[in-house]
Amino acid sequence: MTYAKNDVFTPDLQELAAFAKVLAHPARLAILDYLAGQEQCISGDITSEIPLSRTTVSQHLQELKNAGLIHGTVSGTRIYYCLEQEKIGELKVRMHSFMEKLASAKTECSI
Amino acid sequence: MTYAKNDVFTPDLQELAAFAKVLAHPARLAILDYLAGQEQCISGDITSEIPLSRTTVSQHLQELKNAGLIHGTVSGTRIYYCLEQEKIGELKVRMHSFMEKLASAKTECSI
DNA sequence: GTTTTATGACGCAAACATACGACATTTATT
DNA sequence: AATAAATGTCGTATGTTTGCGTCATAAAAC
């Protein structure tokens, strides 16, 4: 989760990069996408939705959880996962404002 | 740039993940940020802005170029890099629409 | 209380990414 | 032509991520 020379950059960029890294795997995007599509929070049949081994999916879930983007509620032997809207919102805003900054750059790129 | 079992996911998710991966390193964010802040496209004094070796920065620039987010124009011994607004715009839109989808999910997460 | 079910934790191999020095190339300057 | 400047390319060491099997655990069903 941390790179060797990371601490050389501003916390802001580091955090955004860390967020981006969580999104940088199709399985994790697929999990988020799936959770967003469910009315009710469904437990580990996420596992059957994602074409990877149960262990691997569980690992991706863990990463999403560590990033604060989802949370799980234990109920018996099952765990109900769902999106953590507060964090999702934060990520959305930060990512978008970074992209806006790029998009509104002058780019007077003629020489 | 490609993961082992990537091809198991939809192209849409794969592409978004690939974009996210490019953003998943503070050095690359810092480069984009720096380019956005310049009125004129400045060449490899990006290198002196980023606290990593010239070679490493060059490598990150290469990745941004491969992703289509920047391009470089050769002029003598120098190269002028700048943001590729079209691609930036595409990324912005796609990322945002994904995040919107997540953010507008019901998340009826009580059991 | 034993078995089944659902799940996490651990460990490991293979694939990838990062960082950098040394060398190559190409244009500018002298 | 010889040298200097600005870059890219290659090779390589080290670190990180991915994917998975095996084992551990804990609640449910029998």
Side-chain angles (χ1 to χ4, degrees):
Chain A
M1 215 60 176
T2 31
Y3 281 107
K5 294 196 110 185
N6 248 8
D7 37 325
V8 131
F9 299 97
T10 67
D12 205 60
L13 291 183
Q14 280 181 63
E15 284 166 28
L16 192 56
F19 266 137
K21 198 185 308 193
V22 178
L23 301 181
H25 194 292
R28 289 192 289 270
L29 295 182
I31 291 171
L32 293 172
D33 198 40
Y34 179 70
L35 287 178
Q38 298 306 113
E39 293 251 324
Q40 293 190 290
C41 295
I42 305 290
S43 90
D45 28 36
I46 297 165
T47 299
S48 20
E49 273 296 307
I50 308 287
L52 293 172
S53 88
R54 195 186 57 74
T55 324
T56 304
V57 173
S58 172
Q59 213 168 265
H60 284 304
L61 284 168
Q62 209 50 48
E63 270 181 85
L64 289 166
K65 203 155 83 180
N66 288 153
L69 294 175
I70 65 174
H71 76 274
T73 318
V74 178
S75 164
T77 57
R78 301 185 168 199
I79 299 184
Y80 292 76
Y81 281 105
C82 42
L83 298 177
E84 194 68 85
Q85 283 300 349
E86 216 178 301
K87 203 75 175 183
I88 298 272
E90 185 198 333
L91 171 52
K92 186 183 80 169
V93 167
R94 291 182 73 170
M95 186 62 88
H96 197 247
S97 86
F98 183 80
M99 292 308 299
E100 272 298 313
K101 186 177 174 188
L102 296 189
S104 66
K106 287 219 168 135
T107 312
E108 185 60 73
C109 206
S110 45
I111 306 176
Chain B
M1 214 60 176
T2 32
Y3 280 107
K5 295 197 108 186
N6 248 6
D7 36 326
V8 132
F9 298 99
T10 67
D12 205 60
L13 291 183
Q14 281 181 61
E15 285 166 27
L16 192 56
F19 267 135
K21 199 187 304 195
V22 177
L23 301 181
H25 195 292
R28 289 191 289 268
L29 295 182
I31 291 170
L32 292 173
D33 198 40
Y34 178 70
L35 287 178
Q38 298 305 112
E39 293 251 326
Q40 293 189 290
C41 294
I42 305 291
S43 92
D45 29 36
I46 296 166
T47 299
S48 20
E49 274 295 308
I50 308 286
L52 293 172
S53 89
R54 197 185 58 71
T55 323
T56 304
V57 172
S58 173
Q59 212 169 266
H60 284 304
L61 284 169
Q62 208 51 47
E63 270 183 84
L64 290 166
K65 204 155 81 179
N66 287 155
L69 293 174
I70 65 174
H71 75 276
T73 317
V74 179
S75 164
T77 59
R78 300 183 170 202
I79 299 185
Y80 292 76
Y81 280 105
C82 43
L83 298 177
E84 194 68 85
Q85 282 300 350
E86 216 179 300
K87 203 75 175 182
I88 298 272
E90 185 197 333
L91 171 52
K92 186 183 81 170
V93 168
R94 291 182 74 169
M95 186 63 89
H96 197 246
S97 85
F98 183 80
M99 293 308 299
E100 272 298 313
K101 185 177 174 188
L102 295 190
S104 64
K106 286 217 168 136
T107 314
E108 184 59 72
C109 206
S110 45
I111 307 179

